[in-house]
Amino acid sequence: KDIAEAYQVLSDPELRHKYDVEGKEGLSPDKTEAGGANQADPAMLFAFLFGSDKFGDYVGRLAMATSALVADSPKISAKVARVLQQRRVTRLAIELAERLKIWTEEDYDGAKAIWESAATNLGQASYGTELVILIGRVYSLSAHQFLGSTDSGVGMPSIAKWAKGNYAKMEKSADSSKAKRDGLMAGMKMMTLQQKAAKELAEAKTEEEKAEKQAAMEQAQVSGMLNVMWTTTVVDITTTLHEVAQMVLHDQSVDKDARKRRAHGLKHLGEIFMA
């Protein structure tokens, strides 16, 4: 929640000025208003940043978006937040089961065509390619874990095969992953950079130099915050989709054979998204 609020303040000139002059007291409880002005819906902000409007049926509303939306509401306890997350997982599990239905009905070519088209479409969103690959990895690993446990009772042989078989794909996206790690480091160093920029701003001689240093400091703040938000989003999506996959693959409303067909379908869906 704090990350979401901070990004909203940093990315909005009016909110940032209000905060600089009056501190937290100058902002509304959810940090989205200043002097009575209406600001963007937090859910819309995160949809814009990470393409979650297109990914709604895959990842649901991101946890940071929900947190920013409810802000400091005393009605939202940790217990209530968990209920909201369970509802999110349940809805996504229903969507995933429906998505896998075409595979369980043995229309394999049709399933692959639909999933390939979906991967292409999703990849066009902001951070789309990264999100598609992330979803694919969670799906693929969850499927291999399930199939390994049903075949061996432990699952380790299947996991080993998964790691070996996907080594090349992981290497292929190594540059992208490195960029994200670099981004995380930038986020962790944000406070240090901010202090350095503030010092340089204080030492600026002319108004032009001050304006330049101020702009550089604000850019560093927003960039660092965005990187932290991305890393938090990855953790949120990974945890959520693991729960979703478990719910779908251990669904007792269908028989064992149907669950196994779902797992095979999920494995292929994951591979398509990782391609």
Side-chain angles (χ1 to χ4, degrees), residues 110-200:
K112 290 177 181 178
I114 291 174
W115 297 342
E116 287 172 357
S117 176
T120 299
N121 180 52
L122 292 169
Q124 296 172 0
S126 175
Y127 278 74
T129 300
E130 293 87 348
L131 287 171
V132 169
I133 292 174
L134 174 63
I135 292 170
R137 286 181 176 174
V138 179
Y139 282 173
S140 181
L141 181 55
S142 297
H144 277 82
Q145 285 177 323
F146 179 81
L147 292 170
S149 65
T150 57
D151 292 339
S152 67
V154 180
M156 294 307 294
S158 183
I159 300 259
K161 291 179 182 177
W162 180 86
K164 182 178 180 180
N166 287 282
Y167 180 77
K169 293 176 182 177
M170 291 180 181
E171 284 292 294
K172 183 179 179 181
S173 61
D175 291 341
S176 177
S177 296
K178 183 178 183 301
K180 293 299 176 293
R181 289 196 299 272
D182 291 343
L184 175 59
M185 291 303 296
M188 298 300 290
K189 294 177 180 177
M190 185 173 57
M191 293 301 295
T192 302
L193 292 175
Q194 184 176 351
Q195 291 173 353
K196 180 181 177 181
K199 182 180 179 182
E200 292 178 352

Side-chain angles (χ1 to χ4, degrees), residues 23-34:
K24 286 186 177 181
E25 292 72 19
L27 304 175
S28 65
D30 65 354
K31 315 298 185 291
T32 61
E33 293 183 6

Side-chain angles (χ1 to χ4, degrees), residues 36-257:
N38 294 324
Q39 304 297 323
D41 181 346
M44 292 297 292
L45 169 66
F46 286 92
F48 173 76
L49 288 175
F50 301 124
S52 60
D53 52 342
K54 280 194 173 186
F55 284 86
D57 291 339
Y58 289 85
V59 303
R61 174 181 281 168
L62 298 176
M64 282 196 298
T66 299
S67 181
L69 194 63
V70 301
D72 297 323
S73 172
K75 298 180 181 179
I76 307 299
S77 63
K79 184 177 180 180
V80 173
R82 182 56 192 166
V83 170
L84 292 175
Q85 173 67 2
Q86 289 174 339
R87 290 177 181 174
R88 174 189 179 191
V89 169
T90 300
R91 183 181 73 80
L92 293 176
I94 293 171
E95 295 280 359
L96 180 57
E98 184 64 27
R99 193 172 298 120
L100 295 172
K101 187 176 180 181
I102 188 172
W103 184 277
T104 61
E105 293 175 346
E106 301 183 3
D107 183 1
Y108 304 132
D109 290 338
K112 290 177 181 178
I114 291 174
W115 297 342
E116 287 172 357
S117 176
T120 299
N121 180 52
L122 292 169
Q124 296 172 0
S126 175
Y127 278 74
T129 300
E130 293 87 348
L131 287 171
V132 169
I133 292 174
L134 174 63
I135 292 170
R137 286 181 176 174
V138 179
Y139 282 173
S140 181
L141 181 55
S142 297
H144 277 82
Q145 285 177 323
F146 179 81
L147 292 170
S149 65
T150 57
D151 292 339
S152 67
V154 180
M156 294 307 294
S158 183
I159 300 259
K161 291 179 182 177
W162 180 86
K164 182 178 180 180
N166 287 282
Y167 180 77
K169 293 176 182 177
M170 291 180 181
E171 284 292 294
K172 183 179 179 181
S173 61
D175 291 341
S176 177
S177 296
K178 183 178 183 301
K180 293 299 176 293
R181 289 196 299 272
D182 291 343
L184 175 59
M185 291 303 296
M188 298 300 290
K189 294 177 180 177
M190 185 173 57
M191 293 301 295
T192 302
L193 292 175
Q194 184 176 351
Q195 291 173 353
K196 180 181 177 181
K199 182 180 179 182
E200 292 178 352
L201 178 62
E203 295 174 348
K205 304 296 184 183
T206 66
E207 289 300 319
E208 183 179 353
E209 189 178 356
K210 286 182 180 180
E212 182 181 339
K213 296 297 183 182
Q214 179 70 30
M217 182 174 68
E218 292 174 358
Q219 183 178 359
Q221 289 174 328
V222 173
S223 177
M225 193 64 68
L226 182 60
N227 287 322
V228 173
M229 288 167 64
W230 165 254
T231 304
T232 306
T233 295
V234 169
V235 174
D236 172 36
I237 291 176
T238 300
T239 303
T240 298
L241 293 192
H242 177 73
E243 291 186 56
V244 170
Q246 295 307 304
M247 185 174 287
V248 170
L249 298 178
H250 293 276
D251 179 9
Q252 297 301 306
S253 70
V254 296
D255 59 33
K256 181 178 179 180
D257 185 57

